[in-house]
Amino acid sequence: MEKVAAGEQLAIHGGPKVKTTPFGTGKRFGLEEAKELLEALEQNTLFYHFGGKVKQFLKEFNELYRVDYSVATSSGTASIHVALGAAGVTAGDEVITSPITDQGTLIGILYQNAIPVFADLDPHTYNLDPASIEARITPRTKAIVVVHLAGNPCDMDPIMEIARKHNIKVIEDCAQSYLCRYKGRLAGTIGDYGCFSTNDFKHISTGDGGIVTVNSGDVNDYYVTHAFADKNYNRFGDLFNRDLNYLAPNYRMTELQGAVGIAQLKKLEWICEQRKRYGDRITEGLRGVPGISVHEVKEGNESTYWFYMMRIKEEELTCTREEFSAALSAEGIPNTPGYIKTVVYLQSLFQQRHAYPGTHYPFDLSDTTYEEGLCPTAEAILETAIRLTVNEFFTEDDIEATIRAVRKVAEHYRK
Ligand SMILES: *Cc1c(COP(=O)(O)O)cnc(C)c1O
């Protein structure tokens, strides 16, 4: 690692910028996708159940993940809702989840008229702390939605143990976590259900879309999950049935998305490998830098870095997080202070307890509270985090420049 010369002027103060060349970019879609799309159209149907593209997409996904069953959906949000519905989560149930996540994690919980309960996070992996999960369990707890944030796996062994002990389901939100591994096992195959997103910002894109893995290995669980994504319409053999029993949404994936998904899936391992290498390299380059704590991946796990989130230790620096971020931008390194604006429970839906206009239902079914200080570690993470972009199309030089710039800014502001 090349040393930053002591006293080198920051770009924000008129000194030379660390990064003067553009970051690497690349084409995410090409003739591979176009060929699949043309074949889909030539089928003369775009309905997943009649065509072959969604089926092939799932077959290849199942082979990659070594699971028996998965269901295609219209989004990551839909996937999580489907898993909750299949798990039997219903009105008045409590579902424990993370306060730092996309709202897609919460939407299905509330549409099932269940109540989100927030547990606190590990300060350096930014994932759910098993002890905090256990402390939030009540007789109403029906499920845990773990969020593997930014490609980094949650501590699944203790979480599964707690869930088995209390007879509750575990749903893995893998929207940001393709091919990430917990002690060698793929995230999304450990809980009862694994939920993926193929929206345009994720590791792979079908425009919008999602997948739910059904991990029990029981074909009946697969049928229930499949039906919940398709208006509770049962399309299998003797079970063929379109009588409405319980409510379920239409979250079907189309053949166009399935077609693009087939081509995208072939690129997934390379995308994840690149991101893993780049993210791990940033950690190696930033370890021990004054005022910085790295995005920690626990020993034995593998992250595929949907983004890289470091934290600023303001007590070791003479600048604020915002000043640090601005100085880093001036060095030519794009970055964002924080992630979501506040922890989820401080957002107005939870503060007002208004999931639906004109009523406090389903919140009034539970004693759960959403006050400031509920998850102090999660709140502190968002106040001190700086997010760096990790992208598969970046070059080694892009990553080295990122490390150099963070070190330069940290050295300048060290106390
Ligand atoms: C993207 C995302 C979702 C929602 O996925 P959509 O496809 O946008 O509905 C859910 N959870 C997390 C953690 C996400 O990052």
Side-chain angles (χ1 to χ4, degrees):
M1 183 73 225
E2 138 195 7
K3 270 259 181 238
V4 174
E8 192 184 352
Q9 262 222 326
L10 292 184
I12 205 169
H13 299 147
K17 268 171 95 163
V18 169
K19 180 83 168 130
T20 51
T21 56
F23 280 80
T25 56
K27 264 183 74 162
R28 304 169 70 198
F29 310 106
L31 286 175
E32 317 76 62
E33 283 79 9
K35 178 181 151 288
E36 293 289 341
L37 280 166
L38 184 59
E39 284 179 15
L41 292 165
E42 283 174 347
Q43 296 176 141
N44 213 28
T45 177
L46 295 177
F47 179 40
Y48 81 95
H49 192 60
F50 294 160
K53 292 302 180 188
V54 171
K55 287 175 191 142
Q56 190 188 337
F57 176 48
L58 291 180
K59 181 169 169 286
E60 289 174 11
F61 186 88
N62 291 354
E63 281 166 10
L64 183 63
Y65 270 81
R66 297 175 191 278
V67 294
D68 292 333
Y69 304 113
S70 62
V71 172
T73 69
S74 53
S75 72
T77 305
S79 294
I80 295 161
H81 190 183
V82 168
L84 290 157
V89 170
T90 188
D93 289 340
E94 292 176 358
V95 178
I96 298 174
T97 192
S98 168
I100 299 185
T101 188
D102 181 86
Q103 61 261 51
T105 310
L106 288 314
I107 288 169
I109 301 173
L110 288 165
Y111 269 110
Q112 286 306 102
N113 290 304
I115 298 114
V117 172
F118 296 97
D120 210 354
L121 306 180
D122 177 287
H124 300 295
T125 65
Y126 322 131
N127 282 328
L128 281 166
D129 169 9
S132 180
I133 292 177
E134 186 145 40
R136 306 278 151 105
I137 288 176
T138 76
R140 284 185 174 276
T141 310
K142 188 66 171 277
I144 306 168
V145 180
V146 299
V147 179
H148 303 294
L149 196 76
N152 193 18
C154 293
D155 195 4
M156 291 306 289
D157 281 346
I159 292 172
M160 293 310 294
E161 199 180 307
I162 291 162
R164 296 303 172 236
K165 187 165 106 193
H166 295 275
N167 194 27
I168 54 191
K169 298 286 186 193
V170 174
I171 295 165
E172 297 179 72
D173 180 344
C174 304
Q176 304 182 356
S177 297
Y178 282 98
L179 298 182
C180 82
R181 289 178 186 272
Y182 174 74
K183 300 184 180 174
R185 299 170 67 191
L186 284 169
T189 66
I190 302 168
D192 297 282
Y193 305 90
C195 302
F196 296 81
S197 165
T198 55
N199 89 18
D200 205 47
F201 308 97
K202 300 295 155 74
H203 291 72
I204 52 171
S205 166
T206 62
D208 269 308
I211 300 159
V212 189
T213 62
V214 183
N215 298 334
S216 70
D218 182 339
V219 70
N220 288 306
D221 290 336
Y222 167 61
Y223 290 158
V224 168
T225 310
H226 188 280
F228 198 88
D230 192 359
K231 305 186 276 190
N232 258 340
Y233 194 140
N234 204 321
R235 298 185 186 278
F236 294 98
D238 293 345
L239 293 167
F240 186 86
N241 171 12
R242 57 181 306 179
D243 288 346
L244 260 185
N245 47 4
Y246 294 111
L247 194 61
N250 173 356
Y251 286 152
R252 299 188 301 224
M253 180 180 272
T254 76
E255 287 289 279
L256 297 174
Q257 294 158 294
V260 173
I262 292 167
Q264 287 279 291
L265 212 47
K266 292 184 174 40
K267 305 174 185 181
L268 182 60
E269 285 174 278
W270 175 79
I271 291 168
C272 291
E273 197 43 53
Q274 288 284 96
R275 285 175 177 258
K276 174 175 150 18
R277 206 157 44 82
Y278 287 162
D280 287 347
R281 173 68 195 118
I282 295 174
T283 289
E284 190 188 302
L286 296 186
R287 221 182 262 295
V289 172
I292 301 294
S293 71
V294 297
H295 195 157
E296 187 183 337
V297 181
K298 295 271 190 215
E299 177 98 38
N301 296 349
E302 291 176 27
S303 171
T304 57
Y305 299 92
W306 192 52
F307 54 74
Y308 189 98
M309 194 155 84
M310 59 186 182
R311 287 181 69 184
I312 300 301
K313 297 188 259 185
E314 285 185 349
E315 68 283 5
E316 295 182 12
L317 299 171
T318 60
C319 67
T320 63
R321 185 261 304 259
E322 276 60 28
E323 287 165 338
F324 196 105
S325 165
L328 197 53
S329 295
E331 297 298 337
I333 308 300
N335 72 90
T336 335
Y339 173 33
I340 54 173
K341 206 160 141 238
T342 66
V343 286
V344 173
Y345 56 82
L346 291 181
Q347 295 176 11
S348 88
L349 185 153
F350 290 96
Q351 288 302 300
Q352 306 300 319
R353 298 163 85 87
H354 276 161
Y356 306 94
T359 174
H360 293 296
Y361 187 85
F363 296 111
D364 46 14
L365 300 177
S366 154
D367 301 325
T368 298
T369 58
Y370 301 114
E371 73 281 3
E372 192 168 353
L374 181 66
C375 300
T377 304
E379 292 176 19
I381 290 167
L382 289 182
E383 283 158 13
T384 55
I386 291 184
R387 234 161 11 112
L388 303 170
T389 310
V390 178
N391 189 281
E392 60 274 13
F393 293 117
F394 285 1
T395 64
E396 309 278 344
D397 285 350
D398 294 337
I399 299 300
E400 296 308 317
T402 300
I403 294 166
R404 233 166 26 243
V406 175
R407 294 179 76 111
K408 178 182 173 186
V409 174
E411 290 292 345
H412 178 88
Y413 286 118
R414 78 186 292 175
K415 265 189 184 153

